Amino acid sequence: MDTSPITQLPENRIGPGRPPGLKTQLTSLLLEPELIDWAKRQPEGLSGVVRQLLRVAMESDTGMSKAPGQSNVPRE
């Protein structure tokens, strides 16, 4: 029985993963399967699509622009 730790990522992994230096927090979402499948096929993957949509919604709601890894900066 091999007890060595797994060091390689699965080859079927979709998306580039978390952007380096981005502070994140694990959360769960309940979504329809067809939305999940579509989002996983996007260049940024499911998490990237969710981040992008939430940023757009936050900017339209608050009038603030937030670049990844930066603090809020008022739009001019």
Side-chain angles (χ1 to χ4, degrees), residues 19-23 51-52 55 58-59 65-71:
L22 184 65
K23 184 178 177 184
R51 280 192 296 271
Q52 181 182 17
R55 275 192 206 107
M58 182 180 70
E59 288 174 11
S65 175
K66 185 175 187 310
Q70 296 180 356
S71 62

Side-chain angles (χ1 to χ4, degrees), residues 16-53:
R18 179 179 14 182
L22 184 65
K23 184 178 177 184
T24 61
Q25 181 177 336
L26 182 63
T27 190
S28 297
L29 295 173
L30 298 174
L31 301 170
E32 294 92 342
E34 60 273 9
L35 293 177
I36 294 169
D37 292 339
W38 174 83
K40 284 182 176 181
R41 291 191 305 267
Q42 301 312 300
E44 295 294 319
L46 174 61
S47 292
V49 169
V50 171
R51 280 192 296 271
Q52 181 182 17
L53 291 171

